[in-house]
Amino acid sequence: MTLLQIASLTKRFGALTALQDVSLATEAGTIHGLIGPNGSGKSTLMKCIVGDVEPTSGEILFEEKPISQQSTTERARRGIGVKFQITSVFETLSVYDNILLAAQSHARLATLALSRSRGALADEIDDLLDQFKLWERRDEQAADLSHGEQQWLEIAMALARRPRLLLLDEPTAGMSLPERAHTGALLRSLISSCAIVIVEHDLSFIRDISDRLTVLDRGRVVKSGTVGEVQDSSEVKEVYLTRV
Amino acid sequence: MADCHSQAHRRGGRLILLELLVLLVLVLAPFVVSHYFTILLTRFLILALLALSFDLVWGYAGIMSFGQSLFFGAAAYAVAMAVKLTGSAPLIAVFPATLAIGAALALIIAILLFGRRIGASSAMLAALGTLTATYIAERIVRTTNVLGGQNGLSVPSAPSLGSFSIDLGVPFYVLALLTLLATYLICRFLVRSQLGLVLAGLRTDERRIAFLGYDVVVLRVITFTFAGAIGGLSGGLYALHEGFIAPNVIGVTLATQAVLYGLFGGIGTLIGPVIGVILIEGLSYKLADQFPYLWPILLGILLLLLVIFRPSGLVGLLVSDRERIGRFGTSRRASGQSS
């Protein structure tokens, strides 16, 4: 089943065309990697999908329904989770509270006011803390975490909402090699519950974990296909890989 | 890390100690001060409700509001008019009416101001919008004869509870203290609930909160409306207690005072603004007679220094930021059980 369908998406910022007629599709249960040089439009595309940036033209379908006119909140409620390029955890809150804040976002306001779901979410939050090696630091302020740990926390927050589509913009930036390996293994283990669209500069990492790759350059799709197809593409080699 | 935890633990609980200390002082005060000072303290307690209302919107929801006096003043004028017409002020009517007036007015302003806007501009819009609304309201009141114009309105009747008249002095003090205590406990419950966690997130990064699926507009409208209700309640009690109201109760001056109470005492703590009211009003009373011209300048300098060097206010001198923000959830698993 096609979970995310992007059709002829264009985004212009004044005279600058950040995205030009971009089309791609992401299937449920897969990891779809987006690669390209700086300024190729990867992050803009992510922002268009979550509703942070309004496309100039084109259509975005999520679970076969158009979402282009929906607000950020509505898209999140439909099951789109995101971790942006610049880490944005709630630094003054504890690590545990950051995940609780994300996990409880499905609850009604009355439930939140009466703190009715706090206990019910505890096990789920503990599991996420374990998965992302943050349990020992659960009571510390998020600001005290290393950059890599903040990246994990933000992914854990996105997952706490149980998204059906997870958008990750450079999730391994600033991580050590073992941290990257752990992140990769974690992401692969998630695809039974959600599809992932991931932007990364680390080509070996993205080759290892992705089922499909889309290469962007100057706002256009250069090539989209399986990892093998993209790797073998002379166009990609010429236009992208040789320039990185 | 162990040191860090133990230090945090030692510092933990200071806020509740401070709350209990203030409560103890307020409970004992009427036994040790004169009738005159009991009346003065009653006014402080009523203004503390206004300060709480400001703390909710700015300290917890991140909405800079110069509009709390609008809800205060509107309810005060409504009570004054009702007393003028009926000659009585039964609390059973005053409480729901003033809460409803404050809430309704705040709801209208919140819908107009917050709309669908999310982003840095919304904070500026809230400040300017509420300031403008307050200014307009004051001008309207000053030029409306039925509201007493520049001269204000007298409120000749004391509030009543059944057949019991609540007169100035200890009876009104008890009423104000119980009202403040009940309101404080409700606010405290809410800001420490899971909803309080959402407000903490909203105050820090509203855009991020929206990405988590929360409706920023709804959260703001609800918080603003709730705080408006408290502002209204405060204004109603103020009119009954003072027996007279002038246009300044709905104006920019009182709105700014509410901001100063919060900043001086410490926003985002609830108890900070209560302390702010008591100290600012108490010092103003004490020093205004001795230094009538110098005192406002001294107060201004003091506030400026505090805002520059200790933005978390007086409470921030005693309570760590970590405790002020609080913890909303904790693992049920014991330490060392990480899998």
Side-chain angles (χ1 to χ4, degrees):
Chain A
M1 177 196 170
T2 304
L3 197 67
L4 175 72
Q5 178 97 43
I6 292 169
S8 305
L9 201 74
T10 296
K11 175 62 191 176
R12 292 191 188 93
F13 296 102
L16 175 74
T17 302
L19 294 171
Q20 178 72 54
D21 204 25
V22 169
S23 297
L24 61 86
T26 299
E27 302 294 317
T30 62
I31 295 180
H32 192 142
L34 291 178
I35 55 173
N38 286 331
S40 60
K42 307 179 297 294
S43 294
T44 303
L45 180 58
M46 295 289 235
K47 287 177 181 173
C48 286
I49 297 169
V50 293
D52 197 30
V53 165
E54 192 179 347
T56 309
S57 63
E59 189 58 271
I60 303 169
L61 301 172
F62 180 63
E63 293 179 328
E64 298 177 347
K65 288 177 184 144
I67 58 168
S68 301
Q69 300 304 314
Q70 292 187 333
S71 68
T72 301
T73 300
E74 287 166 328
R75 294 183 204 202
R77 288 181 176 174
R78 289 193 64 167
I80 300 177
V82 63
K83 191 215 88 64
F84 280 121
Q85 187 176 3
I86 297 168
T87 312
S88 57
V89 295
F90 296 93
E91 293 192 343
T92 56
L93 297 175
S94 72
V95 171
Y96 187 96
D97 284 343
N98 266 273
I99 302 179
L100 174 62
L101 181 57
Q104 66 176 25
S105 61
H106 294 292
R108 291 172 181 275
L109 284 177
T111 306
L112 296 176
L114 297 171
S115 298
R116 281 189 176 155
S117 59
R118 185 151 43 191
L121 293 169
D123 290 339
E124 194 179 311
I125 295 168
D126 280 340
D127 288 344
L128 279 166
L129 288 167
D130 275 340
Q131 263 185 303
F132 287 90
K133 298 184 174 179
L134 292 169
W135 198 82
E136 291 292 336
R137 309 197 68 178
R138 66 197 179 282
D139 291 330
E140 291 178 44
Q141 279 187 300
D144 296 336
L145 298 182
S146 69
H147 183 67
E149 288 171 323
Q150 287 192 2
Q151 301 265 51
W152 276 345
L153 176 57
E154 201 171 351
I155 300 170
M157 288 169 70
L159 285 174
R161 299 197 67 257
R162 298 172 186 258
R164 288 190 293 286
L165 174 66
L166 182 59
L167 307 173
L168 302 174
D169 197 348
E170 298 191 29
T172 65
M175 285 185 186
S176 63
L177 282 175
E179 285 174 336
R180 281 175 194 228
H182 181 67
T183 306
L186 268 174
L187 295 181
R188 283 308 308 177
S189 72
L190 295 175
I191 56 169
S192 58
S193 57
C194 70
I196 298 171
V197 175
I198 182 168
V199 168
E200 257 297 340
H201 281 294
D202 183 338
L203 293 179
S204 61
F205 175 82
I206 207 161
R207 275 187 208 124
D208 287 347
I209 68 161
S210 297
D211 299 294
R212 286 184 72 81
L213 283 177
T214 293
V215 184
L216 288 170
D217 185 39
R218 298 188 184 105
R220 292 171 184 271
V221 174
V222 175
K223 176 79 180 172
S224 198
T226 63
V227 174
E229 286 168 350
V230 170
Q231 274 185 317
D232 294 341
S233 163
S234 56
E235 201 177 8
V236 172
K237 283 177 186 166
E238 280 180 35
V239 170
Y240 176 69
L241 292 176
T242 54
R243 292 210 280 127
V244 174
Chain B
M1 193 169 292
D3 280 350
C4 175
H5 278 298
S6 60
Q7 195 178 2
H9 184 71
R10 277 198 302 276
R11 296 200 73 174
R14 285 189 183 179
L15 194 59
I16 196 165
L17 282 176
L18 196 60
E19 289 173 319
L20 289 171
L21 183 67
V22 172
L23 178 63
L24 185 69
V25 169
L26 293 178
V27 166
L28 295 177
F31 295 105
V32 293
V33 300
S34 67
H35 178 73
Y36 177 78
F37 278 106
T38 304
I39 291 172
L40 196 65
L41 279 176
T42 309
R43 184 194 296 164
F44 296 176
L45 296 183
I46 293 168
L47 288 174
L49 282 168
L50 176 68
L52 272 186
S53 148
F54 172 74
D55 197 24
L56 276 180
V57 291
W58 174 237
Y60 288 94
I63 305 165
M64 175 44 89
S65 169
F66 287 97
Q68 300 318 105
S69 67
L70 178 56
F71 318 129
F72 180 95
Y77 269 94
V79 166
M81 291 295 287
V83 171
K84 197 174 163 186
L85 290 172
T86 64
S88 65
L91 283 179
I92 199 162
V94 168
F95 272 87
T98 52
L99 285 166
I101 289 165
L105 208 51
L107 178 64
I108 293 166
I109 289 175
I111 290 170
L112 287 173
L113 283 182
F114 305 137
R116 305 300 303 174
R117 289 178 183 84
I118 295 177
S121 62
S122 61
M124 187 69 82
L125 187 76
L128 291 178
T130 50
L131 186 67
T132 308
T134 306
Y135 181 75
I136 291 170
E138 186 177 355
R139 302 314 300 172
I140 289 172
V141 169
R142 281 191 190 281
T143 52
T144 305
N145 288 336
V146 72
L147 296 174
Q150 298 276 21
N151 298 323
L153 285 175
S154 63
V155 190
S157 182
S160 59
L161 193 61
S163 59
F164 184 67
S165 175
I166 299 170
D167 298 320
L168 290 185
V170 174
F172 213 122
Y173 183 89
V174 172
L175 170 70
L177 182 59
L178 289 177
T179 307
L180 177 62
L181 185 62
T183 309
Y184 190 93
L185 290 175
I186 291 168
C187 292
R188 195 177 192 277
F189 176 80
L190 286 176
V191 301
R192 283 162 186 258
S193 70
Q194 287 177 262
L195 184 60
L197 174 59
V198 182
L199 293 181
L202 180 66
R203 185 181 59 228
T204 311
D205 189 346
E206 62 186 64
R207 183 170 159 265
R208 186 82 181 90
I209 278 287
F211 286 127
L212 290 178
Y214 292 104
D215 193 321
V216 170
V217 174
V218 168
L219 287 166
R220 282 187 158 158
V221 169
I222 287 175
T223 312
F224 198 75
T225 304
F226 181 68
I230 297 172
L233 179 64
S234 176
L237 286 177
Y238 185 86
L240 291 170
H241 183 258
E242 299 299 306
F244 172 80
I245 50 166
N248 65 314
V249 301
I250 204 165
V252 174
T253 307
L254 186 62
T256 311
Q257 255 174 264
V259 175
L260 294 179
Y261 296 147
L263 293 178
F264 190 70
I267 55 161
T269 59
L270 295 180
I271 196 63
V274 176
I275 294 170
V277 170
I278 295 169
L279 289 181
I280 288 181
E281 291 297 320
L283 284 171
S284 294
Y285 170 79
K286 195 73 184 161
L287 298 177
D289 275 348
Q290 295 169 25
F291 311 103
Y293 300 108
L294 199 58
W295 166 240
I297 298 169
L298 285 176
L299 180 65
I301 292 171
L302 185 66
L303 287 168
L304 197 62
L305 290 174
L306 197 69
V307 169
I308 292 170
F309 294 107
R310 198 69 203 184
S312 53
L314 287 179
V315 171
L317 296 172
L318 301 169
V319 176
S320 67
D321 284 349
R322 190 78 189 87
E323 189 184 358
R324 197 165 51 83
I325 292 156
R327 275 170 59 173
F328 297 88
T330 187
S331 174
R332 288 199 296 205
R333 218 183 277 166
S335 283
Q337 279 194 322
S338 174
S339 57

